[in-house]
Amino acid sequence: MQIDKNIEKDGVIFMSVKEGEFAEAVDGDVTILAIESSCDETAAAVVRNGREVLSNIISSQIALHTIYGGVVPEIASRKHVEKINGCIRAALSEAGLTLDDIDAIAVTYGPGLVGALLVGVSEAKAISFATGKPLIGVHHIEGHISANFIENKDLEPPFVCLVVSGGHSHLVVVKDYGEYEIIGQTRDDAAGEAFDKVARAIGLGYPGGPKIDKAARDGNPEAFSFPQAKIPDAEYDFSFSGLKSSVLNLINQSKMQGQELNTNDVAASFQKAVVEVLVEHAIKACREYGYDKLAIAGGVASNTALRELCEKRCSEENLSFYRPSPVLCTDNAAMIGAAAYYEYKKGVRFGLDMNAVPNLPLGDRERRFHGRESVK
Ligand code: KG4
Ligand code: ZN
């Protein structure tokens, strides 16, 4: 994936991500305009046939939220309102298309921050109403999982996917397109949340994941022994709050004793404790459920140590390992377009009564009918 950073158009500064040259459209192609606004990235993309990214525009609010040490929901919603039209215009113009060339409008309708989600949902509904084009609501985590289809053209379900983001840590069996079975999940904090909280505690600031990743490269992962993030009686579940408390205790103890902690060592030791459990559970799931493909997804999937350990363990266990480029691991709309394509092919269409669902569960059959007009 090529990344052009800091392009400015229509008052929106954004990052444009491209796969390179793409072929002329042919009859039967499905071209989807996708929108994502569930947290602090306003994003729009044009995706053809679920796997070909014609444009992928991401306007990040990270700099804005950094001064508050985390995402401020109200500010996020307001910024989405300001940026969304510019992002969509840029996505169409980078793809060299107009709304006439689009077959469907896709949007993340949950889970996420309700005010943030509503901006994308309202925008998608307005475009669908104005153009008469079909509307497809996408689950944000299905989007993260589907990011794997973009660069791995040969990847087909079934496979096991480790989804680790700021809001979710799930071990999922992807049985078919849009068919998921959750076999493990976090009992408390999400993996990304733990990265963010620990980074704040050791003074690295926000966003914590990339900062810990960078600091850990100069640290000793064996310097401190932190508890592993497992639950004794649940094979595939995770728990990150004990690990986080253990890091906080270490910081407090050192302060009381007037000792200076090596931040890089704390970052590396914490990261090791998180990554080892994530990978161990994922490999075990592949073995015990009998799948020979492991994929990773979500913001934490861009973590260097996680990618390296997955690569190593999958090669030892004879499993194929799939991961999106880092820019497709964190929030983007190309992944939403990828997931929407398979829903479109099934005939899924949402009505204009589609609403944002902040706690939308993954893999719950009931949720498939939130605001859907028809499932052919
Ligand atoms: O998927 P994402 O962009 O948004 C959500 O859906 O939550 O994930 C954001 C999370 C944040 O917690 C961030 O700190 C974490 O992903 N993250 C990382 C890295 N890059 C982002 N965590 C560890 N290492 C990274 N390199
Ligand atoms: Zn996400």
Side-chain angles (χ1 to χ4, degrees), residues 140 144 165-167 192-193 195-196 208-210 213 298-300 302-303 329-331:
H140 182 73
H144 275 302
S165 71
E193 200 179 345
F195 269 94
D196 292 337
D213 192 342
V300 182
S302 59
N303 181 268
C329 288
T330 43
D331 289 350

Side-chain angles (χ1 to χ4, degrees), residues 105-273:
I105 320 296
V107 64
T108 305
Y109 74 112
L113 302 169
V114 68
L117 287 165
L118 275 169
V119 178
V121 165
S122 310
E123 180 84 16
K125 291 200 310 193
I127 298 174
S128 168
F129 177 68
T131 58
K133 311 258 176 187
L135 178 66
I136 299 171
V138 174
H139 189 289
H140 182 73
I141 297 301
E142 290 194 40
H144 275 302
I145 294 170
S146 304
N148 279 288
F149 298 134
I150 296 170
E151 291 158 299
N152 302 299
K153 311 286 183 208
D154 61 322
L155 176 62
E156 304 265 359
F159 57 90
V160 171
C161 189
L162 172 69
V163 189
V164 271
S165 71
H168 299 85
S169 297
H170 283 133
L171 202 47
V172 180
V173 175
V174 182
K175 295 178 161 177
D176 201 344
Y177 294 106
E179 298 288 326
Y180 308 97
E181 183 189 345
I182 299 174
I183 57 172
Q185 55 192 305
T186 181
R187 297 283 183 96
D188 37 59
D189 292 349
E193 200 179 345
F195 269 94
D196 292 337
K197 286 178 178 168
V198 166
R200 196 176 309 144
I202 58 177
L204 291 176
Y206 174 84
K211 297 211 162 147
I212 289 198
D213 192 342
K214 189 159 175 274
R217 283 174 219 160
D218 298 318
N220 173 11
E222 310 299 335
F224 302 102
S225 168
F226 292 127
Q228 283 212 316
K230 333 184 185 188
I231 307 263
D233 57 343
E235 273 187 299
Y236 297 111
D237 282 355
F238 311 105
S239 165
F240 297 103
S241 70
L243 169 59
K244 181 192 66 192
S245 304
S246 175
V247 178
L248 297 181
N249 287 343
L250 173 76
I251 296 168
N252 288 337
Q253 268 172 13
S254 326
K255 263 191 200 145
M256 284 193 304
Q257 291 164 358
Q259 287 170 349
E260 192 143 321
L261 272 179
N262 180 322
T263 307
N264 295 342
D265 285 351
V266 180
S269 305
F270 160 77
Q271 181 176 269
K272 176 173 177 268

